[in-house]
Amino acid sequence: MIILGIESSCDETSAAIVEDGRRLLSNVVNSQVDIHAAYGGVVPEVAARSHIEVINPVIKQAMQQANVTWDDIDAIAVANAPGLVGSLLVGTLAARTLAELHGKPLYPVHHVEGHIYANFITDEGVKSRSEEAVSEPSSETQPENTSSRREVRSEMASERNGDQDKAIKLPTRQPAFPMLALAVSGLHSQLVLFEDHGKYRLLGETLDDAVGEAFDKVARMLGLPYPGGPSVSAAAEQGDPLKYDFPKAKLQNPYDFSFSGLKTAVLRAIQREVGVDHTFPSFELPGRLNDAQRADFAASFQYTAVETLVDATVAATHEFQPASVVIAGGVAANQELRRQLSDRLPLPIDYAPMSLCTDNAAMIAALGYYRSRVLSPTPVDEVSVYPSMSMAQTAWNV
Ligand code: KG4
Ligand code: ZN
């Protein structure tokens, strides 16, 4: 079964073709990150306008690279929750229109649940269709108005064109159930226990900031560019993770998280380091830090944030004895997280490639496939958007 996935919940416009929920035939991602970097964060209206500009060419490009036509596509899956309302509306309306036009079943899916399904994409059969389809994106299908401010990634092309280190490397097998998932992005930090596809419960979640949001805010205090996750971890490579001993929140539920205390502790430590008091504005701090200090703060913050995530994941692994553990969401691209997990988990763990950790439509198509096996499609006119829907509300209950 071949599914077209569409993702536009935040600042990435993406379309992908995935066969049987595991074989990646194409994954085109048009990132707006450079546009929003100028503002230090995502500007919702700018994001929505940008999605409108590129969504049709991105879908066209994904189909071309996968070498499929509308006749080959069995269903469409779209992320319709949660996210920025204007962004979600663009992808959802495109999916509704295409489903109606081409008479395809439509499956709305939850974005965070989708992140977890990036782990179900494996290298089995990757070569089947895509081998012939791999090519440089043709100018005809490049998004119009593509400028140097946009980055268009294509998974299958980069695998063969890029250097080996950056090549997309997929796991060889799918995770087994029961599966423990740590979903960590710019908006979410949660631990979810899956009994099977669609049968899951939330063990815990953040009570304040998401961990990706904490990375983004600490980056701003240190004068590192947006998005904060990659820039903090790059700076951390030169720093001492044990230079500052930041606190970890102690919560009643051991699987809940809290990152706002850590963020404030970093702010106070920076203020102390540069010799100002707590009233000193945080936006003036970066100018008073040198690169070595920046690196030490980045490394110590990252170490503690990651250790917090890993403590809860290891504790849940001992309590619930899952057959597999997966990590998902933008922060799953973090190398320190992967290092600490691999060191401390009592079972081996496979990681999705970085490009499938941050927002992409392949994960949406993969989840759409598993939903389509047990659920009926949603009537096109009933597919709406839900900007703040929790994953707890979308368990399939079948
Ligand atoms: O999943 P995602 O692409 O979008 C959301 O659904 O939020 O996650 C974006 C978040 C941002 O906060 C970004 O700073 C963080 O993921 N992130 C990272 C890394 N790469 C992206 N955080 C830590 N380390 C990274 N390497
Ligand atoms: Zn995401």
Side-chain angles (χ1 to χ4, degrees), residues 111 115 185-187 212-213 215-216 227-230 233 329-331 333-334 358-359:
H111 175 83
H115 270 300
S185 72
L187 292 174
E213 192 181 347
F215 270 90
D216 295 336
S233 49
V331 183
N334 186 276
T358 45
D359 289 349

Side-chain angles (χ1 to χ4, degrees), residues 55-382:
I55 190 134
N56 288 342
V58 162
I59 293 170
K60 227 169 157 183
Q61 195 175 336
M63 289 177 63
Q64 268 200 355
Q65 288 192 12
N67 203 18
V68 296
T69 66
W70 281 106
D71 287 342
D72 301 311
I73 289 177
D74 298 299
I76 300 174
V78 64
N80 73 327
L84 300 170
V85 64
S87 293
L88 287 167
L89 279 168
V90 177
T92 302
L93 183 59
R96 281 175 50 152
T97 307
L98 292 168
E100 185 74 46
L101 194 66
H102 297 284
K104 305 292 175 187
L106 181 56
Y107 294 91
V109 305
H110 193 276
H111 175 83
V112 181
E113 195 180 350
H115 270 300
I116 293 167
Y117 274 74
N119 290 286
F120 284 84
I121 296 172
T122 67
D123 70 358
E124 301 161 74
V126 154
K127 292 186 183 68
S128 57
R129 276 164 176 273
S130 52
E131 191 77 307
E132 326 114 54
V134 172
S135 60
E136 286 290 331
S138 77
S139 55
E140 192 195 332
T141 54
Q142 277 285 7
E144 287 149 32
N145 300 327
T146 296
S147 70
S148 58
R149 295 168 73 215
R150 294 186 192 283
E151 182 209 344
V152 182
R153 289 201 315 263
S154 152
E155 261 23 284
M156 303 315 294
S158 64
E159 182 181 9
R160 289 159 178 85
N161 299 342
D163 66 70
Q164 286 306 308
D165 289 345
K166 295 215 179 98
I168 174 169
K169 193 167 176 310
L170 294 163
T172 51
R173 56 195 171 140
Q174 293 191 312
F177 292 104
M179 170 182 85
L180 176 69
L182 173 70
V184 275
S185 72
L187 292 174
H188 299 87
S189 310
Q190 45 195 224
L191 265 173
V192 191
L193 186 64
F194 280 71
E195 226 179 273
D196 201 343
H197 294 294
K199 294 204 172 94
Y200 54 78
R201 68 191 167 101
L202 223 55
L203 300 180
E205 61 190 331
T206 183
L207 303 181
D208 39 57
D209 292 353
V211 63
E213 192 181 347
F215 270 90
D216 295 336
K217 287 177 177 166
V218 167
R220 230 171 291 158
M221 294 174 205
L222 297 176
L224 296 168
Y226 170 87
S231 58
V232 167
S233 49
E237 278 174 32
Q238 316 301 323
D240 175 1
L242 304 178
K243 171 95 189 252
Y244 300 96
D245 188 14
F246 291 129
K248 284 191 277 180
K250 298 251 176 323
L251 305 168
Q252 219 174 359
N253 173 0
Y255 308 124
D256 277 342
F257 303 107
S258 164
F259 292 101
S260 85
L262 171 61
K263 181 193 64 190
T264 308
V266 175
L267 175 62
R268 296 286 174 261
I270 300 173
Q271 287 167 329
R272 262 196 311 276
E273 178 82 19
V274 302
V276 296
D277 73 10
H278 69 282
T279 58
F280 189 82
S282 62
F283 62 86
E284 285 186 27
L285 289 172
R288 302 195 173 207
L289 289 169
N290 63 37
D291 284 349
Q293 290 168 316
R294 242 186 280 279
D296 286 339
F297 281 117
S300 300
F301 157 75
Q302 174 176 260
Y303 185 84
T304 306
V306 164
E307 200 173 52
T308 305
L309 298 173
V310 176
D311 286 349
T313 309
V314 170
T317 305
H318 286 301
E319 179 170 351
F320 299 103
Q321 302 286 319
S324 66
V325 177
V326 299
I327 58 172
V331 183
N334 186 276
Q335 290 301 323
E336 176 64 15
L337 175 60
R338 293 173 178 219
R339 190 189 64 72
Q340 287 194 27
L341 272 178
S342 296
D343 278 0
R344 291 181 52 198
L345 274 180
L347 71 176
I349 174 166
D350 286 328
Y351 298 106
M354 306 284 187
S355 54
L356 296 184
C357 290
T358 45
D359 289 349
N360 69 86
M363 65 191 198
I364 303 301
L367 173 56
Y369 168 75
Y370 290 100
R371 281 191 85 100
S372 76
R373 291 203 314 181
V374 289
L375 295 176
S376 307
T378 304
V380 167
D381 293 342
E382 289 173 24

